[in-house]
Amino acid sequence: MKIAIFATLVAAAAAFTSTPLKTGVKSSSALNMAILPSKNKFVPCISLKDLPKPGFATSGVAGGLAICIAVDPKGSVYALGDKCPPVNQPLSFGKVNADGTIEDPVLGTKFSLKTGKVVSWCPTGVGKLIGGIFEPAGVPVFKVRQSSGTIQVEVDVNAKANFEANYWSGILDAQGKANGKYY
């Protein structure tokens, strides 16, 4: 019994103190792929037929980013990030108010349609509990225009690729191929 305990202790110590084995196997994983420069460009987000009525919002995707398209009661169109802090529920489910804000449907946080800044942080009961843990954070805003029957939003078209550049890429990567490309 003493020999078994001694052998276990020696094996455990050797596992943390010995030099790694030279196996001749070279890893083909890659981290930190090339970062592309920012490139702001207007890209289609939703068609004009999908534009919500005044006082409402909808969601769309532009350049791989989730976008909330909101129309205020006067008919002005705004584009904001569709992830509502602090728990990232869709902002597009929110209520567009006459005071130039959009209200998070769950926690009640109000964001300015023009700047994305917080006007009122988590004022509801549940919001006070959850929001009290986090610092107030706004949402990004994007320029909007109407062109070719669509609502277009100006986004960094390289943002998604730059975000994904730090993903691990290798033999078992999530994208499917060892070089990080899709099939």
Side-chain angles (χ1 to χ4, degrees), residues 19-166:
T19 59
L21 295 174
K22 305 263 187 214
T23 62
V25 176
K26 185 176 180 187
S27 173
S28 67
S29 66
L31 189 60
N32 296 329
M33 294 169 50
I35 301 294
L36 302 170
S38 291
K39 182 178 178 184
N40 288 338
K41 185 177 174 184
F42 278 97
V43 295
C45 185
I46 63 169
S47 69
L48 280 177
K49 66 180 172 103
D50 294 330
L51 188 66
K53 295 176 184 174
F56 293 93
T58 191
S59 62
V61 176
L65 303 173
I67 305 291
C68 168
I69 301 293
V71 181
D72 73 6
K74 297 176 186 173
S76 298
V77 179
Y78 300 91
L80 303 97
D82 200 25
K83 300 295 181 191
C84 189
V87 291
N88 289 336
Q89 68 272 7
L91 187 58
S92 55
F93 292 165
K95 178 183 173 193
V96 180
N97 300 312
D99 63 355
T101 62
I102 185 166
E103 185 176 339
D104 169 6
V106 177
L107 303 178
T109 299
K110 288 185 178 183
F111 301 94
S112 168
L113 290 170
K114 292 181 180 178
T115 66
K117 292 182 179 178
V118 174
V119 174
S120 174
W121 181 251
C122 299
T124 64
V126 174
K128 288 180 182 178
L129 290 173
I130 295 173
I133 300 170
F134 300 95
E135 290 292 321
V139 293
V141 294
F142 304 95
K143 293 180 183 176
V144 181
R145 74 178 184 190
Q146 176 184 335
S147 179
S148 304
T150 63
I151 295 296
Q152 296 184 342
V153 179
E154 186 180 38
V155 297
D156 179 0
V157 293
N158 291 333
K160 183 179 179 194
N162 286 337
F163 178 78
E164 291 177 349
N166 289 323

